[in-house]
Amino acid sequence: MSLSPQQLSDLHRQAEQALLAGHLREAHRYCLRVLAVDRLHADAWFICGVIAGRNSQFDKAVQILCNACTLAPESAEYRAELGKYLLAVNRNREALEAALEAAALPPLSVATLNTLGTVFSHCGEHERAIECFAEAVVKLDKRLAEQQGAEPQRARSAQHRENPEPSFSDSAEIHFNMAVSLQFAGRIDDAELAFERAIGLRPDYLKAHSALATLRRQTREHNHLARLEKLREKSLSSIDRLYLGHALAKEQEDLGNYAAAINCLGWAKGAYAREVNYRFDGEKRLFECLKNTFTKEMLDRPATTYCPNSEPIFIVGMPRTGTTLVEQILGGHSQVFAAGELQQFPHQVARLCGATNRTRPAGFLDIQTIQASVDINHAELGEAYIEATRPRTGKTPHFSDKLPRNFLYLGLIRQALPNAKIVCLRRDPMDTCLSNYRQLFAVNAHHYHYNLDLETCARYFIQFDLLMRHWGEAMPDAVYELEYESLVNDPPSAVAGLLEFCGLPWEEHCLEFHQRDNAVATPSAVQVKQGIYHTSIGRWRRYGDAMQPLYDLLHAAGYCD
């Protein structure tokens, strides 16, 4: 097939327009026609990579985008997009490298800056992320201003991917992304302004409303309830109800309206629970499989291969039980870097077990993966995990990995990294279950779907507790269990015991963690900056009769007096 340069250019432009319109198959057809004539057409490869990514074919997207970057090494857009999909396959180190390379290749478009900010944020580089988002906002504001009185330019600019017509929705998303990074960086006032600007640009941006509600404690003089209640009158998707209902519940609770708060949570979660059709029986089978696979007999066998690295301190437990608090306490020590909630261990297990090729999300633990994990090379697993945490780790003798659900992987952690330390947080069962129910986790994260129902939170807690007892019997002295209440009531003693277990000398800074100017990229980012406080102990009692079914279920299982 032979095409004139003009015909090739027309096909390329049609591919771009189809991509912008979301017509992925059409865009792909145009790109294939271009590549049939010119195999070195970098942008056709780039568009194919984007299409693969949008179809959740992340490994394929990385492969194609690497090709595009080789053909056009000076394209910041290509490298930023590559970084995004490297993150999707948990190649964080390479993602950060791609983002840094892209950031050094001006000029950067608004879309590229937004992508770079997102990559930097996921890599823990929140100040870099803020810089990217701030530059994108400046460019967006300038272009939105230029649109006034510039009608003839509007159609032409909208035709190109690098310079599409800016929309209020685009601008709102960038302000939201910047607000999240500002929150993680501890700049709460700036984050509040950015969330408000996002909402001003898009009043029905319920994800932003939800984030704003959690940013600080609301008062009768300063809250958003009237605005939120008005949004409740709209026709909402199940996900939007999650965002709005959690925002309403948080603000009602802040004002002491606990009955209204629990009702808002029920309204928020009910529709989504019906939609995802979550069944706890499958979860229970997973816990049973872990106990039956990682027996005491297996874990007592002398290790033949393992990674001797002693850097990691794994902080595990049910979410909302003080894991972030402990991470920040340890992060205040001169020998420990608080690396945040790392997804690397689950992802490396999935990769070595061949689970990344299945339909489940990356890092998802299922029975097939558990069974396959028996045959993996433990040294390779440990070394791959350590390497995957670089380059953020390795600059201090130890780093903490605060992914709560790593409690599912303790058998493998012990086998692969026997010199690592494991700390498990414990909290009052009633407070644990209520706190999990109150939390809005990542909406599409299947492993958190248990929190869509309060009583299912209790069932999950029971399985968690039984598994932790199993680990304690199968691996005596391997896990240090720390009670949240003991930590809150007597911080010096609790921290001293924690440091001793981790083999760390006493440092007073560990008790002054809330004064540190550091990023905290978890749902507890705001609370942990307040220091140690007692108000979360016994929170469940404030909800009165609404807690009776939860109490009865836990009491029947032997957990409540």
Side-chain angles (χ1 to χ4, degrees):
M1 179 191 301
S2 69
L3 295 173
S4 69
Q6 184 59 50
Q7 288 174 315
L8 205 64
S9 177
D10 289 343
L11 284 173
H12 175 222
R13 186 173 64 255
Q14 288 172 312
E16 284 191 312
Q17 291 173 336
L19 179 68
L20 283 170
H23 302 152
L24 302 187
R25 289 186 179 181
E26 184 181 343
H28 189 243
R29 284 196 299 269
Y30 287 128
C31 286
L32 291 181
R33 290 179 64 185
V34 171
L35 292 170
V37 176
D38 182 4
R39 298 292 293 176
L40 301 182
H41 197 293
D43 207 56
W45 284 113
F46 172 76
I47 294 172
C48 286
V50 172
I51 292 168
R54 291 189 186 176
N55 286 324
S56 299
Q57 297 174 307
F58 300 132
D59 287 309
K60 184 177 180 180
V62 167
Q63 182 182 359
I64 296 172
L65 289 168
C66 282
N67 191 27
C69 289
T70 300
L71 293 170
E74 299 303 311
S75 172
E77 181 188 20
Y78 295 4
R79 293 192 179 278
E81 200 74 9
L82 174 61
K84 180 171 76 175
Y85 290 114
L86 283 167
L87 279 179
V89 295
N90 202 45
R91 291 163 62 178
N92 291 33
R93 180 173 191 164
E94 295 165 86
L96 180 57
E97 290 171 354
L100 290 170
E101 290 169 357
L105 293 169
L108 301 176
S109 69
V110 170
T112 298
L113 285 165
N114 189 34
T115 301
L116 280 178
T118 302
V119 174
F120 282 132
S121 180
H122 279 86
C123 290
E125 298 288 335
H126 297 292
E127 290 302 329
R128 289 185 187 272
I130 292 167
E131 290 174 7
C132 290
F133 293 135
E135 186 178 346
V137 165
V138 169
K139 290 189 174 187
L140 262 179
D141 288 349
K142 181 179 178 182
R143 281 164 48 191
L144 286 168
E146 288 173 351
Q147 282 182 17
Q148 299 179 9
E151 292 296 328
Q153 299 295 322
R154 186 168 294 191
R156 186 180 66 188
S157 67
Q159 291 177 352
H160 197 274
R161 183 182 67 246
E162 276 293 296
N163 188 34
E165 178 182 346
S167 70
F168 289 126
S169 182
D170 293 334
S171 188
E173 179 188 338
I174 293 171
H175 281 288
F176 175 86
N177 290 341
M178 182 163 68
V180 172
S181 287
L182 288 165
Q183 177 182 343
F184 288 161
R187 294 166 57 180
I188 303 302
D189 291 342
D190 291 336
E192 184 173 38
L193 289 173
F195 280 132
E196 285 287 9
R197 188 160 184 204
I199 292 167
L201 290 164
R202 200 170 114 197
D204 62 350
Y205 198 173
L206 295 175
K207 188 175 182 180
H209 285 285
S210 183
L212 180 63
T214 65
L215 202 57
R216 60 174 84 244
R217 186 177 181 82
Q218 308 301 316
T219 65
R220 298 202 176 276
E221 295 74 30
H222 180 83
N223 63 75
H224 314 95
L225 280 174
R227 183 168 69 183
L228 293 171
E229 287 289 355
K230 190 172 182 179
L231 288 166
R232 194 171 180 173
E233 299 169 3
K234 294 178 175 289
S235 177
L236 303 172
S237 69
S238 61
I239 290 178
D240 278 343
R241 278 179 62 153
L242 272 178
Y243 287 126
L244 179 56
H246 274 271
L248 283 163
K250 165 63 168 60
E251 301 215 0
Q252 291 285 11
E253 184 186 277
D254 284 349
L255 301 185
N257 303 327
Y258 297 103
I262 203 74
N263 287 336
C264 288
L265 288 173
W267 175 81
K269 294 171 181 285
Y272 191 65
R274 290 188 293 273
E275 188 173 294
V276 300
N277 197 28
Y278 172 76
R279 292 288 183 267
F280 183 72
D281 288 347
E283 206 86 67
K284 188 174 181 180
R285 287 194 295 272
L286 182 80
F287 280 91
E288 290 299 325
C289 183
L290 282 168
K291 289 182 285 186
N292 292 334
T293 302
F294 294 96
T295 62
K296 178 174 174 56
E297 181 184 12
M298 171 197 274
L299 295 170
D300 276 345
R301 292 175 198 153
T304 54
T305 63
Y306 62 88
C307 175
N309 190 293
S310 61
E311 291 178 44
I313 301 174
F314 290 93
I315 304 170
V316 304
M318 287 282 287
R320 312 298 297 160
T321 56
T323 53
T324 301
L325 177 60
V326 169
E327 176 200 39
Q328 293 305 301
I329 288 170
L330 288 174
H333 199 283
S334 62
Q335 296 184 27
V336 182
F337 169 66
E341 294 189 1
L342 302 180
Q343 305 292 329
Q344 276 80 348
F345 199 87
H347 279 269
Q348 293 306 322
V349 171
R351 181 181 66 83
L352 292 173
C353 293
T356 54
N357 296 322
R358 300 205 289 273
T359 56
R360 292 291 194 182
F364 180 85
L365 185 64
D366 55 19
I367 289 176
Q368 189 176 347
T369 302
I370 294 170
Q371 293 170 340
S373 72
V374 174
D375 298 320
I376 64 177
N377 184 300
H378 297 132
E380 183 181 357
L381 172 59
E383 289 162 4
Y385 165 75
I386 294 297
E387 177 61 22
T389 68
R390 306 298 196 227
R392 296 185 66 224
T393 67
K395 302 177 181 66
T396 55
H398 298 281
F399 67 87
S400 63
D401 180 343
K402 189 208 79 74
L403 186 66
R405 65 188 176 93
N406 271 338
F407 72 81
L408 296 167
Y409 296 85
L410 295 191
L412 282 169
I413 288 173
R414 185 67 169 170
Q415 291 175 314
L417 293 156
N419 295 322
K421 301 296 184 182
I422 303 170
V423 179
C424 179
L425 268 294
R426 294 294 210 150
R427 188 181 178 187
D428 173 82
M430 291 289 291
D431 279 334
T432 296
C433 295
L434 175 61
S435 291
N436 273 255
Y437 184 63
R438 292 169 60 246
Q439 182 63 42
L440 178 59
F441 295 114
V443 170
N444 294 316
H446 181 274
H447 47 267
Y448 290 131
H449 283 170
Y450 69 85
N451 97 319
L452 295 173
D453 175 78
L454 183 56
E455 292 179 49
T456 306
C457 288
R459 296 185 182 95
Y460 191 92
F461 168 82
I462 292 168
Q463 292 303 315
F464 156 78
D465 180 68
L466 292 173
L467 180 61
M468 289 311 305
R469 293 186 193 186
H470 169 77
W471 294 135
E473 294 169 0
M475 307 182 299
D477 304 320
V479 181
Y480 183 76
E481 295 203 348
L482 177 58
E483 290 186 359
Y484 172 77
E485 290 79 9
S486 298
L487 179 58
V488 169
N489 290 324
D490 188 1
S493 297
V495 172
L498 172 66
L499 295 180
E500 182 181 1
F501 172 78
C502 293
L504 298 168
W506 173 263
E507 288 186 6
E508 196 71 28
H509 288 301
C510 292
L511 294 176
E512 301 165 352
F513 63 90
H514 56 290
Q515 298 176 11
R516 291 166 55 219
D517 183 20
N518 66 306
V520 184
T522 75
S524 304
V526 176
Q527 294 95 318
V528 79
K529 289 298 184 181
Q530 300 170 11
I532 295 175
Y533 54 90
H534 296 77
T535 55
S536 291
I537 295 178
R539 185 195 299 271
W540 68 272
R541 298 181 184 278
R542 302 169 204 165
Y543 283 82
D545 292 343
M547 295 294 101
Q548 193 63 49
L550 173 65
Y551 179 89
D552 290 343
L553 198 159
L554 289 171
H555 179 72
Y559 290 97
C560 297
D561 297 331

